Amino acid sequence: MDLLDNQKVNIYMDTVCSCVKFREAHNEIRREIETHLIDTVEEHEKEGISREEAIDMTIKQMGDPLDLGRKLNEVHRPKPEWSVLTLVFIFLTIGMAIIYTRNSGLFQRSLFGVLAGIVVMVLLYFFNYQRFKPLSKYIYLATTILLLTDIRVIINSGFDIAYIAPIVYALSLSGMFSDDEWKKRKGIINLAIFILPMAVLLYRNSWSSLVSVAMYFVVALVIATMSGINIKYILGVAVLTIATGLYSIFNVDYRAQRILMFLNPEVDAQGAGYINVQLKKILTSAGLFGNGFDIDKDLTFTLPEMNTDFVFSYIVYTLGWIVGAIIISLIIVFFIRLIKTSKSIKNSYGRLIVASFTSIFIVQFSYNILMIFGLVPLAGFSLPFISYGSRLNIANMAMIGIISSVYRRKNILLER
């Protein structure tokens, strides 16, 4: 039944939509009204009422279009996920404060990175994330090609695209596997789509690529599981990735040494196990309230990357375990809010994006903290928003921007 040709229906829907300021919700609202009209008109027609009379009765039952429009305007009014944004800004503030106390010379550069990240985040918040979906396979292919050609060498840049590859792959795979689109392809093709990025990252044979493989692996499992892909393919990806990753680690001497030193760092406390031993000293000497910013140089300043990968150890040493526990608690709340945000999204594409980005944040935060505690081997995982590193923080803030864009449109089910 097509009621869209009826002038009364069109006037009613136009009046309702005129009260809803968020234009992107208009198609969804029209679909909801049309569905309700069709069902109600059909019921009236079964009672022997003519089409025109049935339409008039249905419109009357729906009430004043202005009142309905105002109510729907409240429902569809875009609202940021303030709890997530507040936590992000708390982390950024902590990071900026720590950088200032550690190295005021880096503060200006870090501030520029934070401001650039905020601009990116705001722009992505207003950008309709669904415009990425038709480009998903092209984004996937472009990222793979850039990784294979090692674009940083070509453009003479020190930034390795492997660090942000899991983010870009999460965005592209979410579009390629949403709405049961994977059912249109053969199982072996779906498996190949998941495995190719891991194969490319491992082929590059760099430590940064191995870090990215770990993040991508979790992203792939989350998307595959939420998409309803057969469990045998998921297990296949898991087994193959773990086996290949272990081979890549133990096939290179210095990587294997990192694992061995993680198990027993005291064997070479002044060599390969130095960082592990120093981290243990820093944490055990921190105390509940810390040692202040007048740090013993022999203990702390000799530890590399205190502004980046090991910034949490610096926070605990200077401010104490109470502050460290508060930060860990805030991180856990951050995880919970992101997971709840993912569950609130109606659109399958948006839900996959938020879930996969959430998994990246969980891997980054969790591995960094566990690494500081000596529970996992040392790797290049920084603490999002807190560690120094403008490019990575901009990438993380871009994820928050896209998550905010999805949340802004969480009640819109229709694909555009």
Side-chain angles (χ1 to χ4, degrees):
M1 180 187 296
D2 187 5
L3 295 177
L4 295 181
D5 294 331
N6 186 281
Q7 186 178 8
K8 294 178 182 178
V9 171
N10 280 311
I11 291 174
Y12 188 87
M13 289 195 293
D14 289 342
T15 305
V16 171
C17 289
S18 68
C19 298
V20 180
K21 296 179 181 179
F22 189 39
R23 294 183 179 276
E24 293 177 26
H26 286 186
N27 287 340
E28 182 82 5
I29 292 170
R30 287 179 180 276
R31 176 64 64 87
E32 291 175 358
I33 293 174
E34 183 183 3
T35 301
H36 179 74
L37 283 169
I38 290 173
D39 293 340
T40 309
V41 168
E42 284 181 349
E43 290 179 4
H44 288 317
E45 287 183 327
K46 288 178 182 179
E47 298 172 357
I49 301 173
S50 67
R51 167 67 65 85
E52 281 300 318
E53 289 179 329
I55 291 174
D56 290 338
M57 291 177 63
T58 301
I59 290 177
K60 186 176 181 180
Q61 289 172 355
M62 293 183 68
D64 184 5
L66 294 176
D67 289 338
L68 179 59
R70 283 189 284 268
K71 292 178 182 178
L72 290 175
N73 182 54
E74 289 299 317
V75 172
H76 291 280
R77 177 178 293 175
K79 303 179 184 70
E81 218 300 351
W82 287 114
S83 61
V84 170
L85 294 177
T86 300
L87 288 167
V88 168
F89 280 104
I90 290 174
F91 295 144
L92 288 171
T93 303
I94 293 172
M96 292 295 295
I98 294 301
I99 290 170
Y100 185 79
T101 60
R102 281 282 299 157
N103 188 337
S104 58
L106 294 176
F107 180 78
Q108 186 175 356
R109 184 176 177 182
S110 182
L111 179 61
F112 175 79
V114 168
L115 294 177
I118 291 174
V119 171
V120 171
M121 185 170 63
V122 172
L123 290 175
L124 287 172
Y125 168 71
F126 289 104
F127 180 78
N128 187 350
Y129 74 96
Q130 292 193 18
R131 294 182 182 177
F132 286 123
K133 188 175 182 182
L135 304 174
S136 295
K137 60 182 179 181
Y138 303 110
I139 295 173
Y140 176 92
L141 290 172
T143 305
T144 304
I145 292 171
L146 290 175
L147 285 171
L148 285 170
T149 56
D150 201 356
I151 191 66
R152 64 175 168 164
V153 174
I154 296 175
I155 63 176
N156 194 27
S157 170
F159 182 69
D160 191 350
I161 191 177
Y163 282 116
I164 63 170
I167 300 173
V168 184
Y169 277 127
L171 185 64
S172 60
L173 290 175
S174 295
M176 295 168 69
F177 286 86
S178 63
D179 303 318
D180 296 333
E181 289 185 12
W182 58 272
K183 292 181 179 178
K184 302 173 185 176
R185 298 183 292 265
K186 293 183 179 180
I188 191 67
I189 296 177
N190 288 320
L191 188 60
I193 290 173
F194 276 120
I195 291 177
L196 179 60
M198 288 185 285
V200 171
L201 288 167
L202 290 171
Y203 169 77
R204 298 175 84 247
N205 199 30
S206 66
W207 189 251
S208 61
S209 295
L210 286 177
V211 170
S212 295
V213 167
M215 286 193 287
Y216 174 80
F217 173 62
V218 177
V219 166
L221 286 183
V222 168
I223 292 177
T225 303
M226 292 184 64
S227 299
I229 292 178
N230 194 310
I231 188 66
K232 65 181 180 181
Y233 295 120
I234 299 175
L235 292 175
V237 172
V239 171
L240 185 62
T241 303
I242 293 172
T244 308
L246 290 174
Y247 173 79
S248 298
I249 292 173
F250 288 100
N251 190 45
V252 180
D253 289 340
Y254 82 89
R255 293 176 187 166
Q257 196 175 43
R258 282 196 179 191
I259 302 298
L260 296 176
M261 286 302 102
F262 156 69
L263 297 174
N264 191 10
E266 285 78 12
V267 172
D268 189 9
Q270 296 302 316
Y274 174 76
I275 292 179
N276 298 85
V277 172
Q278 285 294 91
L279 283 172
K280 185 176 181 180
K281 288 180 180 179
I282 290 171
L283 295 179
T284 54
S285 60
L288 286 177
F289 303 101
N291 298 283
F293 296 104
D294 186 19
I295 300 176
D296 180 1
K297 294 183 179 180
D298 292 334
L299 177 64
T300 305
F301 283 4
T302 54
L303 189 62
E305 301 180 15
M306 286 295 287
N307 293 324
T308 55
D309 294 353
F310 306 129
V311 67
F312 185 73
S313 64
Y314 175 78
I315 293 173
V316 172
Y317 183 82
T318 57
L319 301 176
W321 277 105
I322 292 178
V323 173
I326 291 172
I327 292 176
I328 292 175
S329 299
L330 290 174
I331 291 171
I332 293 172
V333 173
F334 183 64
F335 293 164
I336 293 172
R337 293 310 309 167
L338 285 177
I339 292 170
K340 287 187 175 182
T341 298
S342 174
K343 292 180 178 180
S344 70
I345 309 302
K346 291 182 179 180
N347 182 281
S348 61
Y349 174 49
R351 190 164 54 251
L352 284 178
I353 290 176
V354 177
S356 58
F357 282 178
T358 299
S359 70
I360 292 176
F361 280 123
I362 290 175
V363 170
Q364 289 186 86
F365 273 110
S366 301
Y367 198 101
N368 182 272
I369 298 295
L370 294 174
M371 180 177 72
I372 299 300
F373 290 163
L375 300 176
V376 293
L378 298 176
F381 284 94
S382 61
L383 199 60
F385 312 114
I386 298 176
S387 293
Y388 172 76
S390 299
R391 291 168 178 171
L392 288 177
N393 271 336
I394 289 174
N396 285 325
M397 292 171 77
M399 279 197 289
I400 294 297
I402 296 175
I403 289 172
S404 299
S405 175
V406 175
Y407 187 82
R408 187 172 191 253
R409 300 162 177 84
K410 67 176 182 175
N411 293 318
I412 299 178
L413 181 62
L414 295 176
E415 302 291 339
R416 299 191 68 182

